[in-house]
Amino acid sequence: MKSIKPGRGPSMLGGIGSVGAGIFGILWTIGAVSMGAPWYFPLFGVVFVGIAIVQAVYNFNNATNQNRFSQFDIVDESEEKDPFQEYITKQSNNNVENLQGECSPGHPMSIEFCPYCGNPVQEDFEYCNKCGKKLPA
């Protein structure tokens, strides 16, 4: 299965850009203080540096972490596992177990699953109530 994974290059580039923005914020703050500017000019520089630090941590984490987020690379499941797919699979398995637990022997409702989307459907349904496709007889 193919999945969209983060590109390490764009994330690293964002991290380097964040470091540059932090340096700019430091220079801005030093310049504003040395010129005797009103208090909100140096404060702007400090806020700028804070935002740059947060972005640098986020981008460098995306560039080096195994379970990272982005939308640039498409990889095979054999290359990297998709953490979101694992979460979805675990949730759907829990839902199936809950639904199967509700159907006891002798209960008139029989649960089957749509072959197209996996949604639980009753035996007498002609169409899936989730994806709308005609169910096989």
Side-chain angles (χ1 to χ4, degrees):
M1 177 167 113
K2 299 280 187 190
S3 63
I4 297 175
K5 296 296 269 186
R8 294 193 189 273
S11 295
M12 185 60 76
L13 187 60
I16 292 169
S18 298
V19 170
I23 291 171
F24 171 78
I26 291 170
L27 294 175
W28 175 279
T29 305
I30 292 170
V33 169
S34 67
M35 287 185 236
W39 63 271
Y40 46 86
F41 281 99
L43 180 63
F44 172 77
V46 170
V47 170
F48 205 86
V49 169
I51 292 171
I53 290 171
V54 170
Q55 283 186 330
V57 168
Y58 175 77
N59 284 311
F60 284 127
N61 187 37
N62 270 348
T64 58
N65 193 1
Q66 182 73 19
N67 294 326
R68 58 198 188 274
F69 169 79
S70 188
Q71 54 212 42
F72 297 105
D73 291 342
I74 299 177
V75 296
D76 244 340
E77 190 173 291
S78 62
E79 296 171 339
E80 280 188 25
K81 297 286 185 199
D82 186 3
F84 185 66
Q85 183 64 35
E86 291 173 10
Y87 172 78
I88 293 295
T89 303
K90 185 168 57 170
Q91 291 292 6
S92 66
N93 287 343
N94 289 341
N95 291 341
V96 169
E97 289 170 7
N98 291 340
L99 287 172
Q100 288 173 344
E102 293 174 3
C103 292
S104 57
H107 193 278
M109 184 174 78
S110 172
I111 298 237
E112 291 183 11
F113 297 93
C114 173
Y116 306 106
C117 69
N119 187 51
V121 294
Q122 291 182 12
E123 195 171 299
D124 59 340
F125 282 13
E126 287 187 43
Y127 296 92
C128 175
N129 58 350
K130 182 175 181 185
C131 68
K133 294 185 178 176
K134 185 167 177 71
L135 299 171

